[in-house]
Amino acid sequence: MKVKIIEQPHWSNNPDKVDLEDLINDFIKDKKVVDIKYQSNCSGFADSGVHSTDYERSALIMYEETADKPVVEKLKEEKAALSEKIDKLYKFLHDGKNIERVGFEHAKLMNWQMSHMISYESALEGRIKILEETE
């Protein structure tokens, strides 16, 4: 586990306001977040008739680096999701009531769609096989 402290700049020459939330979201976009702790601090002082306040916000982010999955794993996940969609579409198209409901032309296009999905699934299977053989 790693940690990162992010502070919202309270004084900046940049005319665009920098939000702590944007800084946090940008940092964690590719990380597995374990926890985020937030802290704000407001302080003031007065000296010889001059007074001021200072407001600071910060966040402690506990995270783990996320390693990219191997390509073969991504392809297997994609194929599994596609196979599930093909199965659902197949069941839908083989229920006569659904064909009547959507109409013949629409069902014909859905069959065409399914045939392309099956071709795509075959391409994924081929890529997975090649990648597994080279490992």
Side-chain angles (χ1 to χ4, degrees), residues 67-88:
D68 281 343
K69 292 180 183 176
V71 173
V72 71
E73 292 304 316
K74 290 179 183 179
L75 291 174
K76 286 179 178 181
E77 289 173 1
E78 184 177 353
K79 183 188 170 299
L82 181 61
S83 296
E84 185 178 326
K85 290 177 183 178
I86 291 169
D87 187 51
K88 287 180 182 178

Side-chain angles (χ1 to χ4, degrees), residues 1-4 27-28 31-35 61-66:
M1 181 170 51
K2 295 183 177 184
V3 296
K4 171 77 174 176
F27 179 76
I28 66 173
K31 296 174 181 60
K32 180 180 176 188
V33 175
V34 175
D35 198 4
I61 303 169
M62 292 170 264
Y63 67 97
E64 295 176 359
E65 295 283 352
T66 55

Side-chain angles (χ1 to χ4, degrees), residues 29 50 84 91 117 125 127:
K29 67 184 169 195
V50 177
E84 185 178 326
K91 289 176 182 174
M117 291 169 73
E125 285 175 6
R127 290 183 64 202

Side-chain angles (χ1 to χ4, degrees), residues 38-52:
Y38 171 80
Q39 178 178 322
S40 64
N41 181 35
C42 183
S43 58
F45 65 91
D47 185 22
S48 302
V50 177
H51 65 281
S52 180

